[in-house]
Amino acid sequence: MHTPDSTSSPAMVIVGAGHCGGRAALALRTAGWQAAIHLVGDEPHHPYERPPLSKDLLTGDKTAEACALLSDADLREARITRHVARVTSIDATARSLTLSDGQTLAYQSLLLATGGKVRTLRIPGGDLPEVMTLRNLGDAAALAQRLTPGQRLLVVGGGFIGLEVAASARKLGCEVTVVEGAPRLMGRAVPEPVAERALALHRARGVRVLLGVGPLGITRTANGVRMELADGSSIEADTVLAGIGIEPDLALPQAAGLAVGRGVMVNAHLQSSLPGIFAAGDVAEFPSVLSGQLVRQETWHNAETQAAIAAQNMLEGVNSALAAYTALPWFWSDQYDHQLQVMGEPALAATSVTRTLDDAGGMVIFYLDADNRLVGACGWGETSRVAKELKLARTLVERRISASAEVLADPATKLKGLLSHAR
């Protein structure tokens, strides 16, 4: 580990050594900051990307080292001091923070990139060792050991993580059941036609999917565990995965006096309510570039893009021109040989139109505002067949292209042509 710099002189300090924090630390150095950079996080691993946790890491197609964003050599070269510790308090007036190992760090600017903590099953038996969550590299390694051929996996939660793990477990030869309390998969994150296609795909690949029923409790049996469901039925399994999302841990920013809502509230420059403190990534609640409403996003894209803006603004200071965060939302989910993408903010649409991409269920649903400008899109299909069209759809949304519903729905209309016309 890199030898710590002096902890007494003001520095750039980043709390949260995940994807967003790691990227921000590198961006600070690349942008010309010459003094100390401190990266604080309680995970023993260097910053890494999380999307492979539910996919390639479980199946063995990728190693933990391949997910890393920074190595020891990278930290040394960039002169980034890594602290494996928790922050116990922030003194916003003195511009300093205290670590669990007793150190005090003075900061010129502070970035909170603390992500979120995984939600657990709050039911009887929810704390049994057979009940697991998936948030970090350690979780992925522990779960992977249990996903051997013939093992029975019960996934609670039909969202992205739950479905990606279900797909990975089927690839590994496990028996898989998914239990979702809502009447359909992936909640409000995707439109119903896409949810129906995902449901059909999982069932076709051998996953038992139960909708509209929730868990009541879990007990041990001679051969594993048994989960009692609200409809009176029960399911036996060897392993239970709680894939029910994350929530930001707001205790530290609240204690420091920061304004919080569903996350740390920031402006378009990712500045918090207190001078010198910024927030980015999963923990930040920021104004949407389309609606101005405060939103919070738990995506790779959000962590990646906000890290750069936060670093730039940490350097500029309050009296200089600041960069605004203007990237549109985008996320994807890989399930088997299919991919789902959501771009923009479909909730802001006045109308929608479906475009068929192929004869295998591939589709894009475009979302238009009252002026026929694209505000979002959601695509689904076999990755190899729809990847190019989904990339074009994303570009159309990012450029806020205007087009009629009829034109977008017509397969004879080339999406690339719409893009060229807009130029």
Side-chain angles (χ1 to χ4, degrees), residues 41 91 96 110 126 132 203 231 240 280 303 309 325 347 382 387 401 414:
D91 186 334
S96 69
L110 170 65
M132 310 182 76
R203 284 177 169 165
D231 63 0
V240 176
I309 296 298
Y325 182 68
E382 291 183 36
I401 298 299
K414 301 296 184 184

Side-chain angles (χ1 to χ4, degrees), residues 66-406:
C67 301
L69 294 170
L70 292 169
S71 65
D72 281 325
D74 295 328
L75 290 171
R76 285 193 297 270
E77 184 178 350
R79 294 177 290 117
I80 297 169
T81 304
R82 174 93 164 85
H83 301 265
V84 181
R86 290 179 298 101
V87 175
T88 56
S89 64
I90 298 172
D91 186 334
T93 302
R95 293 206 178 197
S96 69
L97 50 83
T98 304
L99 306 185
S100 56
D101 61 9
Q103 288 191 81
T104 298
L105 301 178
Y107 64 84
Q108 177 169 314
S109 295
L110 170 65
L111 174 62
L112 299 179
T114 49
K117 56 183 179 180
V118 69
R119 291 192 177 100
T120 57
L121 285 177
R122 296 174 182 172
I123 58 175
D127 57 351
L128 289 172
E130 293 86 355
V131 181
M132 310 182 76
T133 56
L134 182 60
R135 179 61 181 166
N136 56 44
L137 284 172
D139 295 339
L143 180 59
Q145 290 181 349
R146 302 180 70 95
L147 299 184
T148 55
Q151 288 290 293
R152 301 165 299 172
L153 174 68
L154 173 55
V155 177
V156 180
F160 301 112
I161 292 296
L163 294 178
E164 289 171 3
V165 171
S168 297
R170 285 299 296 144
K171 181 178 180 180
L172 294 168
C174 299
E175 297 178 14
V176 181
T177 301
V178 173
V179 173
E180 169 56 54
R184 67 179 180 89
L185 297 176
M186 294 180 285
R188 292 174 294 177
V190 304
E192 190 164 353
V194 172
E196 290 173 351
R197 281 166 169 76
L199 173 62
L201 175 66
H202 280 273
R203 284 177 169 165
R205 299 294 172 97
V207 178
R208 182 187 179 198
V209 182
L210 304 178
L211 299 174
V213 61
L216 294 181
I218 305 170
T219 54
R220 268 221 174 95
T221 67
N223 300 312
V225 294
R226 178 185 294 114
M227 177 178 287
E228 305 295 333
L229 301 178
D231 63 0
S233 65
S234 64
I235 302 172
E236 293 199 3
D238 301 299
T239 303
V240 176
L241 175 75
I244 52 177
I246 66 168
E247 55 191 3
D249 189 348
L250 300 176
L252 180 67
Q254 278 183 310
L258 291 166
V260 301
R262 292 176 299 141
V264 177
M265 298 171 69
V266 296
N267 62 17
H269 310 299
L270 305 182
Q271 295 170 304
S272 76
S273 59
L274 294 178
I277 302 181
F278 299 76
D282 292 357
V283 77
E285 189 177 14
F286 60 96
S288 158
V289 68
L290 292 179
S291 70
Q293 305 261 328
L294 287 177
V295 296
R296 191 174 66 80
Q297 294 171 13
E298 301 166 5
T299 68
W300 178 95
H301 177 66
N302 191 53
E304 180 83 3
T305 53
Q306 286 195 345
I309 296 298
Q312 180 177 341
N313 290 338
M314 289 169 73
L315 290 173
E316 291 295 336
V318 295
N319 296 320
S320 302
L322 296 170
Y325 182 68
T326 59
L328 290 184
W330 173 61
F331 66 87
W332 78 92
S333 175
D334 294 311
Q335 299 172 30
Y336 308 103
D337 52 356
H338 283 57
Q339 188 174 85
L340 178 156
Q341 290 191 30
V342 179
M343 50 215 83
E345 294 187 63
L348 302 179
T351 186
S352 65
V353 59
T354 300
R355 179 186 181 91
T356 300
L357 296 183
D358 56 32
D359 56 3
M363 65 187 300
V364 177
I365 301 176
F366 287 104
Y367 294 88
L368 302 156
D369 65 14
D371 297 320
N372 274 349
R373 293 185 73 186
L374 282 169
V375 292
C378 178
W380 166 267
E382 291 183 36
T383 307
S384 61
R385 300 178 63 150
V386 303
K388 183 178 179 181
E389 291 293 278
L390 295 188
K391 184 177 181 179
L392 286 169
R394 181 185 171 197
T395 305
L396 289 172
V397 173
E398 287 177 338
R399 297 190 183 178
R400 302 292 309 279
I401 298 299
S402 294
S404 69
E406 293 76 18

